[in-house]
Amino acid sequence: MSSPRQRSIKTAARKTPARKTAARGTAPKWRRTAEPHFGPLFEEANDIILLNDREGNIVAANRAARDFGGYTLEELQRGVHVRDVLTPAEFELAMLLTHRALDGLAIPEVYEREAVLRDGQRRTLELRSNVLQQEGLPPLLQTIGRDITERKEAAAFQASLLQVSEALLSAQRLDQLGSVICEEARRVLGAGGAYLWLRRGQSLFGCAAAGLGEQQFVGTSYALADDPLLRAVEHERGVLLINEFQRSPYVRFGSRSTEVQSLLAMPLRRGRGMLGLLVCADYENPQSFTPALADRAQIFGAQAAVAIESALAREREEEEGRVSAALLQVARAIRESLEETEVIPQIARSAREVIGCDWTAVALLEAGRECFRVTSTDGWPTTVVEELKSLEFGRGSLAMIDQLLAGVTVEIQEPRGRVGLYERWGIASLLAVPMVRAGRVIGALVMGYRERRGPFSAHEHRVAGGIAAQAAVAVDNARLVEALRRANALKSEFLGMMSHELRTPLSAILGYADLMRDGAMGTVGLEQTQALDRMLLNGRGLLELINMTLDVNRLESGRITLDVSEFTLAEVLHELRSEFGAGAVREGVTLAWPDITLLPALHTDRAKLKLVLRNVIDNALKFTPQGAVTIAVGSDPARERVSVTVRDSGVGIPADALEPIFEMFQQLNGARPNARGGVGLGLYLVRRYTELMGGTVVVESAVGVGSTFVVEIPSRLMRRDGVDAVR
């Protein structure tokens, strides 16, 4: 498009009668004697072009300017003033710029103004102005502009999305995240209210809201099949925009639908599944939502869906942690006893503690009979316990017995029908979980409340199910105590198989992640590289845990062997030094390696020695938040033994824990608040492997000062009768 200076503007003087304007009086003298005449280049230009005089009268405007502002040529000829097309604040600035330009002073090359259209809309223009001097006429200010409203709104929306991302990252729990999503949706999309539904099966439940009715919204639920709007949204791949909502067939949606004037519904999808629904409503404007706004809503919805999916995954992980912790507590409690008379009471007691219910009972199925007998309770009055233990619960005695015999969990939210026994025993609600072992029901774990009615939570179901499964194993093992050795061998075989099954796919995952990070499958960006690095770091930690589990399993089953070879201690320490690079040592901790002196060659199991030293060094780094970890080596030629000393300035170990730390699954609780996690197998393997190689592990420690581990092994293992032995 040609610039204003390149356009030819033809003018011709002609006599015109004087015109009056209602707001401005008599037209300027020059307009009574001559008016500019513009050619087709001016009239048909795509850019907005207009001319105004010193007083602010708009002398001429091309077709693009008239169409933009909503004025006709006749209205322009009758008289339009700059104040008619600008806000008051912008009008003052426009007149100041006009006077400066016509007085020959400098003005901005490019500037912006907010224009007011004939219908009241406001649009942002990018403008350039210059003085137009025509012979015999007063100078005019010629202004050329373009509408940049959408561009500025898009830039503002991008900035808003950055704010949204920061807000979403700051939310830790799902309810916090839901509130942030709704608040940001109102702000970014200019809605009167925002409402977040999350999907559970074939229903949507109200998770969070911002705006009208937000307190009443949270906790409500709708079945997808019951509402036409929900069904329409479920099948909508994009955003569902409904202006003039009161005239739509969906007006009955929600308890406040009579107040909704326009509505924007965003399905929150990840892959093919719908996580939920984000609804924005306007309660004043029936034409509030434009297609452009719907496009932005779709971008916002995609961002919200990613955040929700992450939060749900995080909650699932946390729930898994809570369930695992509860089950581990029960497992530790019941593993201490092998006698049935001791195991069953412990199951009832532990279940009540970890679930937090009012009472529990364990009923066992009598051998050869389809009949339950209560063998242990917790939380019941003595009189009720005596009555319960005196009864037999066979088929037909209670409605739930047949279901338990079929291996089905029974939930009674509120006793109905024949409730006499429930009232006498003080049962307001109960959950009965069959104890199934090897496909056969051997008993039932029953838990409940004296006053609380209603459904049991998913957490209660999972913990009760897990305890019932553990109880079934414990009871069965107690009954089969004479076959404990065989059962233990089966357990070891199962554990080894599962560890192998976990290690194989995990190794494949790590391999593909390595290939992706190295660019073998295409270019990856910085964020993807960082994510892959984290994946590899955590995956290798998990692989190490699986390997340790396999080693423990082999040790416990007596299937461990020594692979003896000739090597030097310097070679092993060099490899470890490479593995414990800068990334493995936290900031504020130094790791000092020894200058290797002349040491005798070693004839022992290289891999096991390396594992021993790695675990000792790694343990020292874990328990040293600040300070140093120092490694030293020594040799005793007379005894043909070598030693490696690992000294740290960490938190130290209490005297009563110096021996237990070498047992399986033993850790110092609270001693390392920021240390990396583990399951307590590292030092167990250190002692067992060192002893296998004929060596010893000695530890000295003081709380707050640090610890010193000394690993000493013979320089050489000799084979005797086909078996490696210590010389």
Side-chain angles (χ1 to χ4, degrees), residues 244-321:
E244 300 290 348
F245 184 79
Q246 295 302 316
R247 299 181 183 179
S248 74
Y250 310 116
V251 69
R252 297 184 60 186
F253 173 72
S255 59
R256 293 185 175 272
S257 61
T258 56
E259 302 174 39
V260 176
Q261 299 302 315
S262 52
L263 184 142
L264 198 65
M266 293 163 272
L268 304 179
R269 298 184 182 276
R270 291 294 291 163
R272 295 184 178 180
M274 188 173 79
L275 297 175
L277 173 67
L278 180 60
V279 176
C280 290
D282 194 293
Y283 298 99
E284 297 179 358
N285 184 1
Q287 294 291 333
S288 177
F289 300 116
T290 64
L293 204 59
D295 291 340
R296 294 176 187 171
Q298 189 160 2
I299 298 173
F300 181 91
Q303 193 174 31
V306 172
I308 290 172
E309 186 179 48
S310 299
L312 289 172
R314 186 165 54 248
E315 284 201 349
R316 285 192 294 268
E317 291 176 0
E318 292 173 354
E319 173 63 14
E320 289 294 333

